[in-house]
PDB file of all heavy atoms in Angstrom:
ATOM      1  N   LEU A  11     -76.199 -22.290 -58.373  1.00 89.00           N
ATOM      2  CA  LEU A  11     -77.069 -22.488 -59.530  1.00 89.00           C
ATOM      3  C   LEU A  11     -76.811 -21.422 -60.594  1.00 89.00           C
ATOM      4  O   LEU A  11     -76.716 -21.727 -61.793  1.00 89.00           O
ATOM      5  CB  LEU A  11     -78.536 -22.454 -59.089  1.00 89.00           C
ATOM      6  CG  LEU A  11     -79.586 -22.704 -60.169  1.00 89.00           C
ATOM      7  CD1 LEU A  11     -79.390 -24.087 -60.771  1.00 89.00           C
ATOM      8  CD2 LEU A  11     -80.994 -22.566 -59.600  1.00 89.00           C
ATOM      9  N   ASN A  14     -73.558 -22.050 -62.521  1.00 87.00           N
ATOM     10  CA  ASN A  14     -73.596 -23.121 -63.508  1.00 87.00           C
ATOM     11  C   ASN A  14     -74.495 -22.809 -64.688  1.00 87.00           C
ATOM     12  O   ASN A  14     -74.208 -23.225 -65.811  1.00 87.00           O
ATOM     13  CB  ASN A  14     -74.027 -24.420 -62.824  1.00 87.00           C
ATOM     14  CG  ASN A  14     -72.955 -24.963 -61.919  1.00 87.00           C
ATOM     15  OD1 ASN A  14     -72.029 -25.611 -62.383  1.00 87.00           O
ATOM     16  ND2 ASN A  14     -73.029 -24.679 -60.630  1.00 87.00           N
ATOM     17  N   PRO A  21     -70.802 -22.785 -74.444  1.00 89.00           N
ATOM     18  CA  PRO A  21     -70.798 -23.431 -75.765  1.00 89.00           C
ATOM     19  C   PRO A  21     -71.641 -22.686 -76.803  1.00 89.00           C
ATOM     20  O   PRO A  21     -71.337 -22.755 -77.998  1.00 89.00           O
ATOM     21  CB  PRO A  21     -71.370 -24.823 -75.475  1.00 89.00           C
ATOM     22  CG  PRO A  21     -71.000 -25.082 -74.052  1.00 89.00           C
ATOM     23  CD  PRO A  21     -71.136 -23.750 -73.385  1.00 89.00           C
ATOM     24  N   ILE A  23     -71.893 -19.414 -77.109  1.00 88.00           N
ATOM     25  CA  ILE A  23     -71.060 -18.318 -77.606  1.00 88.00           C
ATOM     26  C   ILE A  23     -69.998 -18.857 -78.551  1.00 88.00           C
ATOM     27  O   ILE A  23     -69.763 -18.305 -79.639  1.00 88.00           O
ATOM     28  CB  ILE A  23     -70.412 -17.559 -76.433  1.00 88.00           C
ATOM     29  CG1 ILE A  23     -71.495 -16.983 -75.516  1.00 88.00           C
ATOM     30  CG2 ILE A  23     -69.508 -16.444 -76.949  1.00 88.00           C
ATOM     31  CD1 ILE A  23     -70.955 -16.327 -74.258  1.00 88.00           C
ATOM     32  N   GLY A  61     -81.191 -10.314 -84.314  1.00 68.00           N
ATOM     33  CA  GLY A  61     -82.586  -9.961 -84.572  1.00 68.00           C
ATOM     34  C   GLY A  61     -82.980 -10.139 -86.021  1.00 68.00           C
ATOM     35  O   GLY A  61     -83.940  -9.521 -86.502  1.00 68.00           O
ATOM     36  N   LEU A  72     -66.841  -9.338 -82.727  1.00 84.00           N
ATOM     37  CA  LEU A  72     -66.601  -8.412 -81.626  1.00 84.00           C
ATOM     38  C   LEU A  72     -67.698  -8.546 -80.567  1.00 84.00           C
ATOM     39  O   LEU A  72     -67.418  -8.559 -79.360  1.00 84.00           O
ATOM     40  CB  LEU A  72     -66.539  -6.981 -82.152  1.00 84.00           C
ATOM     41  CG  LEU A  72     -66.350  -5.883 -81.090  1.00 84.00           C
ATOM     42  CD1 LEU A  72     -65.033  -6.077 -80.355  1.00 84.00           C
ATOM     43  CD2 LEU A  72     -66.415  -4.492 -81.735  1.00 84.00           C
ATOM     44  N   HIS A 155     -73.713 -28.018 -58.724  1.00 80.00           N
ATOM     45  CA  HIS A 155     -72.768 -27.762 -59.803  1.00 80.00           C
ATOM     46  C   HIS A 155     -72.805 -28.891 -60.835  1.00 80.00           C
ATOM     47  O   HIS A 155     -72.978 -28.651 -62.041  1.00 80.00           O
ATOM     48  CB  HIS A 155     -71.373 -27.626 -59.191  1.00 80.00           C
ATOM     49  CG  HIS A 155     -70.273 -27.434 -60.163  1.00 80.00           C
ATOM     50  ND1 HIS A 155     -69.946 -26.219 -60.705  1.00 80.00           N
ATOM     51  CD2 HIS A 155     -69.397 -28.316 -60.706  1.00 80.00           C
ATOM     52  CE1 HIS A 155     -68.927 -26.347 -61.530  1.00 80.00           C
ATOM     53  NE2 HIS A 155     -68.573 -27.619 -61.538  1.00 80.00           N
ATOM     54  N   LEU A 182     -69.848 -42.870 -68.628  1.00 68.00           N
ATOM     55  CA  LEU A 182     -70.470 -42.707 -67.314  1.00 68.00           C
ATOM     56  C   LEU A 182     -70.565 -44.042 -66.583  1.00 68.00           C
ATOM     57  O   LEU A 182     -70.287 -44.127 -65.383  1.00 68.00           O
ATOM     58  CB  LEU A 182     -71.861 -42.089 -67.476  1.00 68.00           C
ATOM     59  CG  LEU A 182     -72.690 -41.917 -66.199  1.00 68.00           C
ATOM     60  CD1 LEU A 182     -71.975 -40.998 -65.225  1.00 68.00           C
ATOM     61  CD2 LEU A 182     -74.077 -41.373 -66.524  1.00 68.00           C
ATOM     62  N   GLU A 190     -67.432 -47.456 -57.750  1.00 70.00           N
ATOM     63  CA  GLU A 190     -67.886 -48.527 -56.868  1.00 70.00           C
ATOM     64  C   GLU A 190     -66.708 -49.317 -56.315  1.00 70.00           C
ATOM     65  O   GLU A 190     -66.693 -49.717 -55.142  1.00 70.00           O
ATOM     66  CB  GLU A 190     -68.834 -49.451 -57.628  1.00 70.00           C
ATOM     67  CG  GLU A 190     -69.436 -50.562 -56.782  1.00 70.00           C
ATOM     68  CD  GLU A 190     -70.290 -50.027 -55.644  1.00 70.00           C
ATOM     69  OE1 GLU A 190     -70.804 -48.901 -55.754  1.00 70.00           O
ATOM     70  OE2 GLU A 190     -70.436 -50.753 -54.638  1.00 70.00           O
ATOM     71  N   ALA A 207     -54.914 -41.229 -35.817  1.00 84.00           N
ATOM     72  CA  ALA A 207     -54.648 -39.828 -35.450  1.00 84.00           C
ATOM     73  C   ALA A 207     -55.040 -39.589 -33.992  1.00 84.00           C
ATOM     74  O   ALA A 207     -54.328 -38.895 -33.248  1.00 84.00           O
ATOM     75  CB  ALA A 207     -55.422 -38.893 -36.367  1.00 84.00           C
ATOM     76  N   PHE A 218     -46.796 -35.884 -22.368  1.00 85.00           N
ATOM     77  CA  PHE A 218     -46.522 -34.559 -21.810  1.00 85.00           C
ATOM     78  C   PHE A 218     -47.020 -34.450 -20.368  1.00 85.00           C
ATOM     79  O   PHE A 218     -46.385 -33.804 -19.525  1.00 85.00           O
ATOM     80  CB  PHE A 218     -47.163 -33.467 -22.673  1.00 85.00           C
ATOM     81  CG  PHE A 218     -46.530 -33.350 -24.037  1.00 85.00           C
ATOM     82  CD1 PHE A 218     -47.289 -32.952 -25.128  1.00 85.00           C
ATOM     83  CD2 PHE A 218     -45.195 -33.649 -24.235  1.00 85.00           C
ATOM     84  CE1 PHE A 218     -46.704 -32.842 -26.387  1.00 85.00           C
ATOM     85  CE2 PHE A 218     -44.617 -33.543 -25.482  1.00 85.00           C
ATOM     86  CZ  PHE A 218     -45.367 -33.139 -26.567  1.00 85.00           C
ATOM     87  N   LEU A 241     -46.538 -42.957 -33.826  1.00 91.00           N
ATOM     88  CA  LEU A 241     -46.405 -42.046 -34.964  1.00 91.00           C
ATOM     89  C   LEU A 241     -46.246 -42.820 -36.268  1.00 91.00           C
ATOM     90  O   LEU A 241     -46.845 -42.459 -37.293  1.00 91.00           O
ATOM     91  CB  LEU A 241     -45.213 -41.115 -34.749  1.00 91.00           C
ATOM     92  CG  LEU A 241     -44.885 -40.155 -35.905  1.00 91.00           C
ATOM     93  CD1 LEU A 241     -46.087 -39.273 -36.227  1.00 91.00           C
ATOM     94  CD2 LEU A 241     -43.661 -39.314 -35.562  1.00 91.00           C
ATOM     95  N   LEU A 243     -47.377 -45.742 -36.945  1.00 91.00           N
ATOM     96  CA  LEU A 243     -48.678 -46.315 -37.268  1.00 91.00           C
ATOM     97  C   LEU A 243     -49.579 -45.265 -37.920  1.00 91.00           C
ATOM     98  O   LEU A 243     -50.297 -45.546 -38.891  1.00 91.00           O
ATOM     99  CB  LEU A 243     -49.333 -46.867 -35.993  1.00 91.00           C
ATOM    100  CG  LEU A 243     -50.699 -47.544 -36.181  1.00 91.00           C
ATOM    101  CD1 LEU A 243     -50.564 -48.770 -37.077  1.00 91.00           C
ATOM    102  CD2 LEU A 243     -51.299 -47.914 -34.828  1.00 91.00           C
ATOM    103  N   HIS A 250     -51.567 -45.474 -46.505  1.00 86.00           N
ATOM    104  CA  HIS A 250     -52.522 -46.443 -47.027  1.00 86.00           C
ATOM    105  C   HIS A 250     -53.676 -45.733 -47.726  1.00 86.00           C
ATOM    106  O   HIS A 250     -54.067 -46.104 -48.843  1.00 86.00           O
ATOM    107  CB  HIS A 250     -53.078 -47.314 -45.878  1.00 86.00           C
ATOM    108  CG  HIS A 250     -52.093 -48.314 -45.375  1.00 86.00           C
ATOM    109  ND1 HIS A 250     -52.271 -49.000 -44.189  1.00 86.00           N
ATOM    110  CD2 HIS A 250     -50.909 -48.742 -45.885  1.00 86.00           C
ATOM    111  CE1 HIS A 250     -51.248 -49.814 -43.998  1.00 86.00           C
ATOM    112  NE2 HIS A 250     -50.401 -49.672 -45.009  1.00 86.00           N
ATOM    113  N   PRO A 260     -55.137 -40.977 -61.956  1.00 81.00           N
ATOM    114  CA  PRO A 260     -54.576 -41.586 -63.171  1.00 81.00           C
ATOM    115  C   PRO A 260     -55.512 -42.588 -63.821  1.00 81.00           C
ATOM    116  O   PRO A 260     -55.547 -42.699 -65.057  1.00 81.00           O
ATOM    117  CB  PRO A 260     -53.292 -42.259 -62.671  1.00 81.00           C
ATOM    118  CG  PRO A 260     -53.441 -42.376 -61.197  1.00 81.00           C
ATOM    119  CD  PRO A 260     -54.283 -41.227 -60.776  1.00 81.00           C
ATOM    120  N   GLY A 272     -62.737 -42.780 -78.662  1.00 74.00           N
ATOM    121  CA  GLY A 272     -64.012 -43.326 -79.114  1.00 74.00           C
ATOM    122  C   GLY A 272     -64.897 -42.275 -79.763  1.00 74.00           C
ATOM    123  O   GLY A 272     -65.540 -42.526 -80.796  1.00 74.00           O
ATOM    124  N   PRO A 304     -67.828 -32.875 -64.793  1.00 83.00           N
ATOM    125  CA  PRO A 304     -68.860 -33.131 -63.767  1.00 83.00           C
ATOM    126  C   PRO A 304     -69.144 -34.607 -63.537  1.00 83.00           C
ATOM    127  O   PRO A 304     -69.506 -35.001 -62.422  1.00 83.00           O
ATOM    128  CB  PRO A 304     -70.093 -32.400 -64.313  1.00 83.00           C
ATOM    129  CG  PRO A 304     -69.848 -32.229 -65.765  1.00 83.00           C
ATOM    130  CD  PRO A 304     -68.377 -32.082 -65.913  1.00 83.00           C
ATOM    131  N   ASN A 311     -67.476 -37.165 -55.652  1.00 76.00           N
ATOM    132  CA  ASN A 311     -68.362 -36.728 -54.578  1.00 76.00           C
ATOM    133  C   ASN A 311     -68.924 -37.924 -53.810  1.00 76.00           C
ATOM    134  O   ASN A 311     -69.147 -37.848 -52.599  1.00 76.00           O
ATOM    135  CB  ASN A 311     -69.504 -35.890 -55.150  1.00 76.00           C
ATOM    136  CG  ASN A 311     -69.738 -34.622 -54.360  1.00 76.00           C
ATOM    137  OD1 ASN A 311     -68.798 -34.022 -53.835  1.00 76.00           O
ATOM    138  ND2 ASN A 311     -70.973 -34.204 -54.260  1.00 76.00           N
ATOM    139  N   MET A 318     -67.148 -38.732 -45.387  1.00 80.00           N
ATOM    140  CA  MET A 318     -67.996 -37.992 -44.459  1.00 80.00           C
ATOM    141  C   MET A 318     -68.722 -38.952 -43.508  1.00 80.00           C
ATOM    142  O   MET A 318     -68.847 -38.687 -42.312  1.00 80.00           O
ATOM    143  CB  MET A 318     -69.004 -37.165 -45.250  1.00 80.00           C
ATOM    144  CG  MET A 318     -69.868 -36.239 -44.417  1.00 80.00           C
ATOM    145  SD  MET A 318     -70.889 -35.157 -45.462  1.00 80.00           S
ATOM    146  CE  MET A 318     -71.920 -36.365 -46.285  1.00 80.00           C
ATOM    147  N   HIS A 334     -74.263 -42.320 -16.876  1.00 70.00           N
ATOM    148  CA  HIS A 334     -74.905 -43.081 -15.802  1.00 70.00           C
ATOM    149  C   HIS A 334     -75.598 -42.152 -14.815  1.00 70.00           C
ATOM    150  O   HIS A 334     -76.595 -42.513 -14.196  1.00 70.00           O
ATOM    151  CB  HIS A 334     -73.865 -43.939 -15.065  1.00 70.00           C
ATOM    152  CG  HIS A 334     -73.212 -44.951 -15.947  1.00 70.00           C
ATOM    153  ND1 HIS A 334     -73.885 -46.019 -16.493  1.00 70.00           N
ATOM    154  CD2 HIS A 334     -71.926 -45.053 -16.399  1.00 70.00           C
ATOM    155  CE1 HIS A 334     -73.063 -46.745 -17.227  1.00 70.00           C
ATOM    156  NE2 HIS A 334     -71.865 -46.172 -17.193  1.00 70.00           N
ATOM    157  N   VAL A 335     -75.069 -40.943 -14.692  1.00 63.00           N
ATOM    158  CA  VAL A 335     -75.654 -39.948 -13.793  1.00 63.00           C
ATOM    159  C   VAL A 335     -75.956 -38.704 -14.611  1.00 63.00           C
ATOM    160  O   VAL A 335     -75.076 -38.155 -15.264  1.00 63.00           O
ATOM    161  CB  VAL A 335     -74.683 -39.586 -12.642  1.00 63.00           C
ATOM    162  CG1 VAL A 335     -75.323 -38.537 -11.734  1.00 63.00           C
ATOM    163  CG2 VAL A 335     -74.310 -40.838 -11.860  1.00 63.00           C
ATOM    164  N   LEU A 338     -78.139 -32.169 -14.219  1.00 50.00           N
ATOM    165  CA  LEU A 338     -79.263 -31.261 -14.446  1.00 50.00           C
ATOM    166  C   LEU A 338     -78.817 -29.859 -14.833  1.00 50.00           C
ATOM    167  O   LEU A 338     -79.583 -29.076 -15.388  1.00 50.00           O
ATOM    168  CB  LEU A 338     -80.147 -31.184 -13.186  1.00 50.00           C
ATOM    169  CG  LEU A 338     -80.787 -32.509 -12.774  1.00 50.00           C
ATOM    170  CD1 LEU A 338     -81.621 -32.293 -11.509  1.00 50.00           C
ATOM    171  CD2 LEU A 338     -81.646 -33.083 -13.880  1.00 50.00           C
ATOM    172  N   ILE A 341     -79.254 -28.851 -18.630  1.00 48.00           N
ATOM    173  CA  ILE A 341     -80.565 -28.896 -19.292  1.00 48.00           C
ATOM    174  C   ILE A 341     -80.844 -27.621 -20.072  1.00 48.00           C
ATOM    175  O   ILE A 341     -81.393 -27.639 -21.165  1.00 48.00           O
ATOM    176  CB  ILE A 341     -81.682 -29.144 -18.250  1.00 48.00           C
ATOM    177  CG1 ILE A 341     -81.538 -30.555 -17.676  1.00 48.00           C
ATOM    178  CG2 ILE A 341     -83.055 -28.955 -18.884  1.00 48.00           C
ATOM    179  CD1 ILE A 341     -82.559 -30.881 -16.624  1.00 48.00           C
TER     180      ILE A 341
END
Side-chain angles (χ1 to χ4, degrees):
L11 182 61
N14 289 279
I23 300 175
L72 177 61
H155 177 83
L182 177 61
E190 183 62 25
F218 293 149
L241 176 58
L243 182 63
H250 286 166
N311 226 34
M318 186 173 64
H334 298 293
V335 179
L338 298 179
I341 293 178

